[in-house]
Amino acid sequence: WVITAQDVTEQAQLTAELRHQSLHDTLTGLPNRGLLFDRIQHSVDLRTRSEESGLSLVLVDIDDFKSFNDSLGHTTGDELLRAVAERLSTCVRYGDTVARLGGDEFVILLEGTDEVEAMVLAERALESLALPVHIASGSFAVRASAGVVCSYDDASPVELLRSADIAMYASKRDGKSKVTLFNPDMHDDANRQFE
């Protein structure tokens, strides 16, 4: 009899780590775009099978982040992004998803919400960011703009994200540091502007 044994613990750990890295943002540890789209699609699929309230997306974009990065450097900017990720994660409900799309854009996926609840949660997120964020370089109040879209049908993740993005840019255009709820007229306006 010959018995051969091999310890695969290290290989299993490496595989798990690679899987985590492929689905999470390396800077903040939050779900990345790919995992967010998967969770949105899962929520849409659940929504089509039940008659509960809809799902909402809140797209949060830090106001004037480029100036912050240019003035204090990218290392400090990265610290601020990690602090924002932590702050957003603590102000959502259990089961909600906070993801980082890239740059200074974050998305909150809210399941089982209507427009009123989504707007309240989005306002709470911006208020939590306005409290001083403490990082090595000092304390900073973060101003951000947000766009909210609510869905009661089977809209695709790309459509929902595009609508939240349009609403967020409406917030920026209207003076920043505010929350705007998407309505279909905004999409028509964006198309006219593009044309």
Side-chain angles (χ1 to χ4, degrees):
W1 293 79
V2 176
I3 298 174
T4 303
Q6 183 178 3
D7 185 1
V8 295
T9 305
E10 191 174 306
Q11 183 179 358
Q13 288 172 339
L14 179 62
T15 301
E17 186 178 325
L18 289 173
R19 186 175 191 291
H20 182 269
Q21 287 178 2
S22 71
L23 297 173
H24 292 82
D25 175 58
T26 55
L27 180 66
T28 63
L30 294 176
N32 63 14
R33 181 183 295 264
L35 182 53
L36 174 68
F37 275 41
D38 185 57
R39 289 189 181 173
I40 295 170
Q41 188 60 58
H42 178 72
S43 296
V44 168
D45 292 344
L46 283 177
R47 171 69 197 113
T48 58
R49 286 180 279 185
S50 71
E51 295 303 317
E52 294 179 13
S53 56
L55 65 97
S56 303
L57 286 185
V58 180
L59 195 148
V60 178
D61 186 89
I62 299 172
D63 294 334
D64 305 313
F65 183 70
K66 184 181 182 324
S67 298
F68 184 90
N69 245 358
D70 292 346
S71 300
L72 299 174
H74 291 281
T75 302
T76 304
D78 287 350
E79 282 183 71
L80 183 69
L81 290 172
R82 283 191 290 272
V84 166
E86 187 176 323
R87 186 70 60 87
L88 290 174
S89 296
T90 60
C91 75
V92 296
R93 307 167 307 171
Y94 178 79
D96 293 337
T97 299
V98 178
R100 180 172 176 235
L101 289 184
D104 60 335
E105 286 189 330
F106 296 85
V107 173
I108 305 170
L109 168 61
L110 307 167
E111 297 184 70
T113 54
D114 59 21
E115 292 176 355
V116 174
E117 292 171 307
M119 290 295 286
V120 167
L121 289 165
E123 290 284 354
R124 185 189 320 157
L126 293 193
E127 287 169 7
S128 76
L129 293 178
L131 298 172
V133 173
H134 306 289
I135 58 177
S137 303
S139 296
F140 303 94
V142 178
R143 296 177 59 216
S145 299
V148 176
V149 62
C150 298
S151 174
Y152 299 94
D153 54 25
D154 58 350
S156 74
V158 172
E159 291 169 331
L160 289 170
L161 197 56
R162 183 183 63 215
S163 297
D165 196 47
I166 289 170
M168 184 273 297
Y169 276 106
S171 291
K172 289 207 181 271
R173 188 177 57 248
D174 294 341
K176 300 182 181 178
S177 300
K178 62 191 323 182
V179 178
T180 301
L181 180 65
F182 175 80
N183 69 60
D185 292 342
M186 291 177 178
H187 188 262
D188 296 337
D189 291 344
N191 281 339
R192 277 193 295 274
Q193 184 177 3
F194 176 73
E195 287 169 8

